[in-house]
Amino acid sequence: MIAVQGLSIVAGNFSLRDVSFTIPQGGYGVLMGKTGCGKTSILESILGLRTIQSGRVMLGDRDVTELGPALRGIGYVPQDGALFSRMTVRKQLGLALEIRGVGPQKVKDRVEQLADWLSIRHLLDRYPRGLSGGERQRVALGRALSFVPRVLCLDEPLSALDSETRAQMCDLLADIRRRTGVTTLHVTHNLDEAERLADPLFRLADGRVEIVPRAAHGAA
Amino acid sequence: MKSTFDQIDPRCEQVARTLGCSRFQAFSLVVFPEADRGMITALTLAWARSLGEFGPLLIFAGSTRMKTEVLSTSVFLEMNVGNLEAAVAVSLIMVVGAVIVLVLTRLLGGAADERVARPRPAGVGPDALGDET
C-alpha cells in the first residue's frame, strides 16, 4: 500500500498543499495531470528524493517520511531510464543485490531470471549506449525490480516510445503486476496508457488529487 | 572537471540511492565512473599546465643543476651557459609532450562528448528472491 497523507511541497514559486491519496496493496495507481502540475514532485516525495514541507508517506504499515531513499525499498524507473553508462546491463541488474550483500550465485540467478522475464538476455553484456528506447526501459524496469521491492514508482516510463513498443511495454507492466503483486504508482499524461493499466486512476489538477471512477476514465 | 560533473544526469545518482546506495556508494559506484574521461582530461591539462611552469618554480624552488632543475628551467640554464643545442633539444621535448597532451585531450574529450557502517537498505532479502515467478 502507498498512502500519501497531507503532503505539502514547496519548490520556488511552485507549491502543492495537502495532497492525499492511497493505492491499496497490489494496486496499480496511475497519476495523471498536465505537464508541470506536480506529478513528478509527488513521486519524488514518495521516493524520498524531495524534501517535503509537511505530511506523511506510508508504505504498507511503515511510516517512511523520515527515511532516506536507500531505506525505503522502492523500485524507481525515471522517464529516460537513467541507465548507468559505465556499467553493463548485467552489472546494473545485480547492483542493488550486491549492495545488500547477496551472494554472487544468487545475484547471477536473479539477473538471469529477470533477463529471461524481460527478454533482455541478449543485452546482458552490453553497455547502455546504443540500446533502443524500449530496451532501455526494460533494463531500467529490471534494475528497479531486482531487489524485489514492495513498491514501484514509474515516472512517465513510456513517454519516449513509439506506439507499438508502448503497447508491448503496457503488456509487460501488467504482467509484472500479476507476477509480483508489487504496489505501483505510475505517473503519465497519456490517457491510453492510463486506461489500460490504472487501478485506480488519479487526476492531479489545481493542486488536488482526485480519484477518477472507472466509468469516467475516458474523461480524465 | 566541474563541467564534467555538471553534465552528469542527476537522475543516475537518484536511481542509485533508491537501489540502496549510500551517498558515498552512489558517488563512487555511479557518478565517479561516469566522470572518468573528464577527470583524465582535467588531469592531463593540469599536467600540461605544470609542465610549462617557469616563474614560480624559479622563485620558490630555484634552478640548481641536477637538484631542482626541471624542463622549463633547464632551457633557461642551458641558454645562460650558451649551450643552445641542449636548450633547443629540451624545448623540443616540451613541444612534443605538449602535442601528445593536446591529442590525448582531444581524443578523450571527443569520446566524452559522444556520451550523453550504515543501516541495511530496505527491500526483501535474498531469501525471497524467486518467489514471484
Side-chain angles (χ1 to χ4, degrees):
Chain A
M1 182 191 77
I2 304 172
V4 174
Q5 300 167 350
L7 185 73
S8 294
I9 305 165
V10 176
N13 294 328
F14 173 79
S15 67
L16 279 175
R17 302 277 178 201
D18 199 24
V19 171
S20 299
F21 62 93
T22 300
I23 302 171
Q25 183 66 39
Y28 196 107
V30 174
L31 179 60
M32 289 195 71
K34 291 177 184 171
T35 302
C37 70
K39 304 186 296 293
T40 296
S41 297
I42 292 174
L43 190 103
E44 288 176 345
S45 301
I46 294 170
L47 286 161
L49 298 172
R50 180 179 286 276
T51 305
I52 62 174
Q53 294 291 105
S54 61
R56 290 201 306 167
V57 177
M58 305 284 293
L59 301 180
D61 54 0
R62 291 170 66 216
D63 184 345
V64 298
T65 312
E66 301 298 326
L67 296 182
L71 302 176
R72 297 193 182 198
I74 304 175
Y76 173 41
V77 179
Q79 186 171 352
D80 58 354
L83 300 182
F84 309 143
S85 67
R86 286 287 182 257
M87 283 187 201
T88 61
V89 170
R90 185 188 300 280
K91 178 75 177 168
Q92 304 201 34
L93 295 183
L95 180 65
L97 297 177
E98 288 171 3
I99 287 167
R100 286 166 172 77
V102 176
Q105 188 56 48
K106 284 192 171 177
V107 172
K108 183 170 179 284
D109 292 346
R110 176 62 173 167
V111 167
E112 292 186 355
Q113 181 190 41
L114 284 166
D116 287 339
W117 182 14
L118 298 166
S119 305
I120 53 173
R121 180 176 275 272
H122 61 293
L123 305 175
L124 282 179
D125 294 316
R126 285 182 59 181
Y127 286 87
R129 190 177 168 190
L131 298 185
S132 69
E135 289 171 339
R136 295 180 73 87
Q137 289 309 86
R138 283 172 185 267
V139 174
L141 260 174
R143 184 179 60 185
L145 291 167
S146 61
F147 59 101
V148 198
R150 293 191 177 89
V151 172
L152 188 61
C153 284
L154 313 173
D155 188 5
E156 302 190 27
L158 314 182
S159 61
L161 305 181
D162 60 78
S163 57
E164 189 178 339
T165 310
R166 182 188 295 244
Q168 290 172 355
M169 288 297 290
C170 280
D171 291 341
L172 180 63
L173 290 170
D175 186 46
I176 286 170
R177 182 189 176 194
R178 182 180 59 77
R179 288 202 203 199
T180 64
V182 65
T183 307
T184 306
L185 174 60
H186 179 140
V187 165
T188 183
H189 53 250
N190 184 288
L191 188 57
D192 292 340
E193 216 172 286
E195 285 185 331
R196 285 187 67 164
L197 297 164
D199 177 27
L201 174 62
F202 300 98
R203 188 164 59 93
L204 176 61
D206 303 324
R208 301 195 67 80
V209 173
E210 299 165 346
I211 192 161
V212 180
R214 182 154 281 280
H217 275 196
Chain B
M1 193 179 297
K2 181 180 181 299
S3 67
T4 298
F5 281 98
D6 286 345
Q7 285 170 12
I8 294 173
D9 183 0
R11 288 275 174 216
C12 289
E13 185 182 1
Q14 292 177 344
V15 169
R17 299 288 319 277
T18 64
L19 290 174
C21 290
S22 63
R23 281 188 187 279
F24 177 73
Q25 284 174 319
F27 178 76
S28 60
L29 297 175
V30 175
V31 178
F32 194 73
E34 298 267 337
D36 57 355
R37 289 182 186 278
M39 303 240 319
I40 291 170
T41 303
L43 288 172
T44 310
L45 288 172
W47 179 81
R49 174 74 181 84
S50 65
L51 186 73
E53 199 61 73
F54 179 74
L57 276 177
L58 204 62
I59 299 300
F60 293 106
S63 56
T64 309
R65 276 280 187 205
M66 306 307 287
K67 285 195 179 340
T68 60
E69 185 182 14
V70 294
L71 287 175
S72 54
T73 52
S74 274
V75 176
F76 174 68
L77 290 173
E78 298 298 347
M79 286 287 286
N80 271 356
V81 297
N83 191 353
L84 190 61
E85 290 84 358
V88 170
V90 174
S91 297
L92 282 175
I93 290 172
M94 293 176 71
V95 168
V96 170
V99 169
I100 291 172
V101 166
L102 282 173
V103 170
L104 279 177
T105 306
R106 178 85 179 188
L107 289 175
L108 293 171
D113 288 344
E114 288 175 19
R115 285 191 294 124
V116 266
R118 66 185 183 89
R120 193 178 181 82
V124 180
D127 295 341
L129 294 180
D131 286 354
E132 65 201 13
T133 51

